[in-house]
């Protein structure tokens, strides 16, 4: 699919076809795309445990659903991807190793001052980096462990954004759910065999949408000019109507929710799955 | 994949409409072809063909429910417990759903009764 169409078509899907299995190849394609997500220092702190609902024994399946409060989409989706951030790989020594690796593969330019000696001196001894190179001595030297957790989580969240788009590109519906209520995070780690050091990020539900893939239209968004500024905070970035028209033609900008007959669709889905029609 | 009379299953209109949604996506189409084998086996078990099954289920709600009950029993002998069984059952259920049947859409009957 065209990139803009994928972004425009993306919705959080909350009703899945329980009866349509997701080919494992499609899950691999999502993971392959996610593996190439952008990441500072090439740390790659994202980890995922893919759970196929129908491979679980009844007790485990029920427990994983119960800790997510039996959310409708979770009970219906045939594939659950549990995303975790590994702060262990966002520690200074790993940052040093990965950035040296980036120099060696020709990604970080030596011309800007990047080399094994400057990287190690900056990270290990807080030596000022040469002009042209990032000031990693202030960012990475003595990095507190709790900041490693933050770094690992923010990079994993970014990777999840790509995973969501990759799923849409495969013609699938997807949603990012909480992994569990906070008090149950450790239990889920135990069930999935996730190391204690890892931080929970999202449970990505994947399946074929039972609702219309457009799910009633694009969700409300704040005005462009209130989100994006030019030069200084508060100065709206100009929004050119002709660009907006082009993006509408290219599939990025679509009709806003709720579209016609959306509420009838929701009633019908509720009936189909045995929920109150609301 | 053919029926007992040697007629290709995909010649049946009910099968064509079931296959239809999956044919534009090669990965999904591959999976559907595997599911077609399951459907063929179910039809053989019913000693019937896909269009006849759908016609009977459409005309008579009891017949549809009988098919669903029969499917539940059949998969127990057809596939090992676990994923294989769920997938076999879902393959046949998706055939009914794609042909406009209102059948149980819940993945597991117990899942939706927690709040009751």
């Amino acid at each position: 699919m065209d990139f803009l169409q994928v972004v425009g078509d993306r919705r959080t899907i909350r009703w899945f076809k329980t009866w349509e299995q997701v080919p494992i190849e499609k899950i691999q394609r999502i993971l392959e795309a996610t593996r190439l997500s952008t990441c500072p220092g090439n740390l790659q702190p994202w980890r995922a445990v893919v759970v196929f609902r129908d491979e679980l024994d009844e007790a485990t399946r029920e427990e994983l659903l119960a800790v997510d409060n039996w959310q409708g989409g979770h009970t219906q989706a045939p594939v659950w991807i549990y995303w975790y951030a590994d702060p262990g790989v966002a520690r200074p020594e790993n940052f040093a190793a990965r950035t040296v690796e980036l120099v060696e593969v020709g990604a970080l330019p030596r011309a800007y001052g990047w080399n094994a000696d400057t990287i190690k001196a900056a990270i290990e001894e807080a030596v000022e980096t040469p002009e042209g190179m990032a000031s990693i001595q202030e960012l990475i030297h003595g990095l507190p462990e709790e900041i490693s957790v933050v770094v690992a989580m923010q990079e994993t969240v970014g990777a999840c954004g790509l995973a969501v788009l990759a799923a849409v590109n495969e013609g699938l519906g997807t949603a990012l759910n909480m992994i569990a209520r906070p008090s149950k995070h450790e239990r889920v780690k135990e069930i999935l065999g996730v190391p204690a050091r890892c931080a929970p990020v999202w449970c990505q539900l994947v399946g074929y949408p039972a609702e219309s893939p457009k799910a009633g239209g694009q969700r409300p968004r704040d005005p462009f000019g209130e989100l994006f500024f030019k030069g200084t905070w508060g100065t709206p970035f100009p929004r050119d109507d002709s660009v907006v028209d082009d993006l509408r033609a290219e599939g990025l900008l679509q009709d806003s929710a709720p579209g016609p007959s959306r509420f009838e669709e929701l009633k019908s889905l509720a009936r189909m799955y045995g929920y109150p029609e609301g | 994949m053919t029926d007992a009379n040697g007629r290709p299953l995909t010649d049946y209109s009910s099968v064509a409409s079931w296959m239809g949604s999956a044919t534009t996506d090669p990965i999904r189409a591959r999976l559907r072809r595997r599911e077609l084998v399951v459907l063929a086996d179910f039809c053989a078990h019913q000693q019937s063909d896909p269009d006849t099954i759908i016609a009977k289920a459409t005309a008579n709600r009891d017949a549809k429910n009988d098919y669903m009950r029969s499917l539940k029993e059949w998969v127990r002998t057809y596939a090992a417990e676990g994923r294989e069984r769920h997938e076999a059952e879902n393959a046949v259920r998706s055939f009914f759903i794609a042909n406009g049947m209102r059948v149980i859409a819940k993945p597991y009957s117990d899942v939706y009764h927690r709040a009751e």
Side-chain angles (χ1 to χ4, degrees):
Chain A
M1 278 170 81
D2 195 58
F3 174 72
L4 292 177
Q5 190 72 55
V6 169
V7 177
D9 282 355
R10 187 209 62 78
R11 305 282 188 278
T12 292
I13 292 298
R14 294 182 171 86
W15 302 86
F16 292 92
K17 289 181 178 173
T18 57
W19 57 91
E20 288 282 353
Q21 63 166 305
V22 176
I24 192 167
E25 298 95 316
K26 286 196 176 270
I27 301 300
Q28 182 185 343
R29 289 167 66 93
I30 293 168
L31 299 175
E32 297 273 7
T34 308
R35 183 168 161 262
L36 298 181
S37 183
T38 182
C39 181
N42 205 23
L43 296 173
Q44 305 164 60
W46 45 78
R47 300 288 182 269
V49 180
V50 180
V51 172
F52 289 83
R53 182 198 61 202
D54 294 343
E55 287 179 351
L56 296 172
D57 62 69
E58 189 178 336
T60 308
R61 189 182 73 230
E62 296 216 345
E63 192 169 359
L64 288 173
L65 289 172
V67 298
D68 191 26
N69 207 26
W70 302 95
Q71 286 204 63
H74 202 156
T75 62
Q76 295 155 17
V79 181
W80 311 335
I81 306 178
Y82 288 88
W83 289 100
Y84 284 89
D86 187 348
V89 301
R91 298 300 298 142
E93 58 276 15
N94 197 51
F95 192 95
R98 297 316 298 246
T99 44
V100 168
E101 182 182 55
L102 288 176
V103 174
E104 286 167 356
V105 300
L108 281 174
R110 289 182 198 276
Y112 294 167
W114 293 94
N115 63 57
D117 290 340
T118 55
I119 290 168
K120 282 178 184 160
I123 291 176
E124 290 170 12
E125 297 156 44
V127 174
E128 187 83 8
T129 53
E131 207 173 282
M133 181 178 158
S135 302
I136 56 174
Q137 77 282 358
E138 286 192 21
L139 185 69
I140 311 296
H141 175 72
L143 187 76
E145 286 197 17
E146 57 269 29
I147 301 298
S148 290
V149 177
V150 173
V151 169
M153 286 185 78
Q154 71 186 20
E155 298 315 316
T156 304
V157 169
C160 287
L162 189 54
V164 162
L165 294 178
V168 175
N169 189 51
E170 292 301 325
L172 294 160
T174 191
L176 295 175
N177 265 27
M178 279 197 338
I179 282 178
R181 59 180 67 201
S183 61
K184 296 292 184 185
H185 276 153
E186 293 311 312
R187 176 62 189 139
V188 176
K189 283 190 201 173
E190 212 173 282
I191 292 171
L192 302 177
V194 175
R197 67 175 183 276
C198 289
V201 179
W202 290 115
C203 175
Q204 183 182 6
L205 309 177
V206 184
Y208 287 98
E211 58 188 314
S212 143
K214 300 290 175 81
Q218 288 184 329
R219 297 358 186 182
R221 296 284 150 162
D222 289 337
F224 186 85
E226 289 181 17
L227 299 172
F228 309 116
F229 310 122
K230 185 168 186 294
T232 52
W233 185 280
T235 307
F237 191 95
R239 196 178 199 204
D240 185 328
D241 287 341
S242 67
V243 174
V244 169
D245 290 344
D246 288 347
L247 292 174
R248 185 166 280 281
E250 291 171 61
L252 178 75
L253 300 175
Q254 303 177 8
D255 291 342
S256 300
S261 71
R262 172 59 173 168
F263 292 105
E264 285 74 15
E265 181 188 24
L266 288 172
K267 278 185 182 174
S268 153
L269 287 161
R271 267 198 303 276
M272 182 165 77
Y273 285 102
Y275 287 94
E277 290 182 29
Chain B
M1 187 57 49
T2 56
D3 68 7
N5 302 316
R7 181 178 170 189
L9 231 55
T10 46
D11 280 2
Y12 288 95
S13 61
S14 59
V15 176
S17 64
W18 176 58
M19 300 284 284
S21 60
T23 49
T24 52
D25 177 338
I27 295 175
R28 211 173 168 194
R30 238 181 356 248
L31 175 65
R32 205 43 127 220
R33 283 196 292 276
R34 290 205 296 270
E35 292 177 334
L36 186 62
V37 176
V38 179
L39 179 65
D41 292 341
F42 178 72
C43 291
H45 172 73
Q46 294 295 326
Q47 298 180 312
S48 188
D49 66 73
D51 283 2
T52 305
I53 288 173
I54 292 299
K56 282 185 181 171
T58 306
N60 186 323
R61 191 175 171 180
D62 289 342
K64 180 193 76 178
N65 291 338
D66 285 345
Y67 281 129
M68 290 298 108
R69 262 193 296 275
S70 171
L71 170 62
K72 281 262 177 211
E73 287 163 17
W74 174 72
V75 289
R76 284 197 200 105
T77 56
Y78 183 73
E81 194 170 2
R83 184 175 179 174
E84 202 185 334
R85 186 178 296 173
H86 288 301
E87 286 178 357
E89 185 178 342
N90 278 337
V92 178
R93 280 201 305 152
S94 76
F95 166 71
F96 279 88
I97 291 167
N99 280 284
M101 299 289 102
R102 298 179 83 177
V103 303
I104 291 175
K106 301 167 183 175
Y108 303 98
S109 54
D110 51 333
V111 161
Y112 296 90
H113 299 293
R114 295 292 154 180
E116 288 176 1

